[in-house]
Amino acid sequence: MTSAAIDNPEQGDNEKRKLIGIVIFNNFETLDVFGPVQMWGRLSGHRVVFISPDGRPAHSAQGAVIEASYSFEDAPQSDVLMIPGGMGTRKLVNDPATLAFVRMQHQHTSWTTSVCTGAAILARAGVLDGRRATTNKVAFDWVASQSAKVQWLGRARWVVDGKLITSSGVSAGTDMALSLVTNLYGRGAAEEVAAVAEYVWNDDPYNDPFAIKPNITAEADITL
């Protein structure tokens, strides 16, 4: 039995739902996108759309292809914006159109999020200035080099600072996505979404098995 927060896919008015806009690009990391999609895809008050720079399909690093719902030019305002990681971010951190789109959307989002090296794009766009954030620990030094104005945390599964949520690498995005469900719909809804997916949720942002720097000493450090 599902709660009011989880939608029957045969019911509901998509046009009335707020948008969760996921930016896609060639060489994105597959699980960075599909982990959160699994957790967000049936929320009663939101619907997931995919946004690529030019509106064309995007190919993941593992060969999956996603059709874009919108381009940067015609994308409506998202309530939640998510930037995934992957090798494609290495190019996009220097792409003016991508950075401008992120800045524009971020002005009016309720939540702006990233998975893995997607945080590098947020950093280069300037939206993480003065904030705490984390990223993939394997690529930590490269991401951190994108902005010295960010307090990069090497021990965190995900970090909440204001309306910004950044997660560690790949699978951490699924845990982050469930934490966002908690913020939007409550803890019970997040637990239900995880149970439907038969997913064991790491719901502790301090529980970071891949931590590289033990710099988390208080809850306020990562959940502001």
Side-chain angles (χ1 to χ4, degrees), residues 28-224:
F28 70 87
E29 193 68 23
T30 304
L31 192 59
D32 288 13
V33 171
F34 286 108
V37 167
Q38 179 68 43
M39 303 307 164
W40 295 338
R42 290 181 57 194
L43 298 176
S44 60
H46 288 80
R47 63 186 177 98
V48 173
V49 297
F50 300 106
I51 307 165
S52 71
D54 55 8
R56 296 179 181 177
H59 297 248
S60 81
Q62 290 76 26
V65 181
I66 298 181
E67 294 284 342
S69 312
Y70 300 101
S71 68
F72 286 169
E73 183 176 353
D74 63 13
Q77 177 63 48
S78 293
D79 183 56
V80 177
L81 182 70
M82 195 275 272
I83 314 297
M87 290 303 295
T89 60
R90 306 275 173 155
K91 178 180 178 180
L92 294 182
V93 292
N94 295 310
D95 179 53
T98 297
L99 302 183
F101 176 77
V102 169
R103 292 187 197 104
M104 178 182 66
Q105 285 279 321
H106 176 68
Q107 291 179 13
H108 302 290
T109 58
S110 295
W111 295 94
T112 299
T113 71
S114 68
V115 180
C116 194
T117 58
I121 294 174
L122 295 184
R124 286 297 287 268
V127 304
L128 293 180
D129 288 359
R131 302 287 191 170
R132 294 176 173 88
T134 196
T135 186
N136 186 309
K137 302 313 187 295
V138 174
F140 190 89
D141 289 343
W142 175 75
V143 175
S145 73
Q146 302 307 306
S147 177
K149 297 179 180 179
V150 182
Q151 183 178 346
W152 296 104
L153 302 181
R155 184 181 179 84
R157 188 69 170 167
W158 70 89
V159 175
V160 182
D161 193 337
K163 71 172 186 177
L164 289 151
I165 313 180
T166 53
S167 85
S168 188
V170 195
S171 65
T174 306
D175 297 325
M176 177 277 291
L178 287 166
S179 76
L180 181 59
V181 174
T182 298
N183 290 329
L184 293 172
Y185 294 91
R187 172 78 187 197
E191 290 177 345
E192 184 175 357
V193 169
V196 168
E198 296 192 358
Y199 180 73
V200 179
W201 177 22
N202 175 0
D203 62 353
D204 181 0
Y206 299 96
N207 182 7
D208 182 6
F210 305 98
I212 58 172
K213 297 176 183 178
N215 59 355
I216 302 303
T217 58
E219 184 172 349
D221 286 336
I222 56 178
T223 54
L224 296 179

